[in-house]
Amino acid sequence: MYFVDRSVAVIKPKAPFLAWLNAVPDNDMIELSLDALRADCTVILLPEFDEPEEAISHIDEMYDKLFRIELSSWYEDEALWPQDRSLKAFWEWFDVEVHSTLLDTVDADIMNSPVDVDED
């Protein structure tokens, strides 16, 4: 087991995200509950930080990409996305849990690949 020189953040959808999902036209999904939506969330690696506020500032800098990732994981058609994707809207739509300790329990190299989300 190894300490990793990163922090983590868990991006958890809130009620406005759920309302958007359930209001998408021609939505053929079963109606989700907020608990179900928050049960399996996106986790991102962050730089190590001394204060939680530093992690929040880092998220503020990349909120647009995170917002896009969350929306595109449900619908790739940007015409279905909400018009207001401001920083304020991000924090209204998502809770963010920040954790300062990350342990790697796998004795193998981490494989990664870039996330492809178009930016305006």
Side-chain angles (χ1 to χ4, degrees), residues 16-48:
F17 189 91
L18 177 63
W20 165 73
L21 269 181
N22 288 328
V24 170
D26 299 323
N27 178 349
D28 60 355
M29 295 185 296
I30 59 168
E31 193 151 322
L32 295 169
S33 71
L34 192 55
D35 287 339
L37 192 59
R38 293 170 61 100
D40 183 18
C41 300
T42 302
V43 177
I44 62 171
L45 295 176
L46 302 171
E48 286 184 294

Side-chain angles (χ1 to χ4, degrees), residues 40-69:
D40 183 18
C41 300
T42 302
V43 177
I44 62 171
L45 295 176
L46 302 171
E48 286 184 294
F49 60 86
D50 292 324
E51 300 294 329
E53 294 78 15
E54 294 174 54
I56 298 304
S57 291
H58 185 79
I59 290 166
D60 282 351
E61 292 173 12
M62 60 184 302
Y63 85 89
D64 184 61
K65 184 170 251 182
L66 293 172
F67 216 151
R68 291 173 162 281
I69 289 167

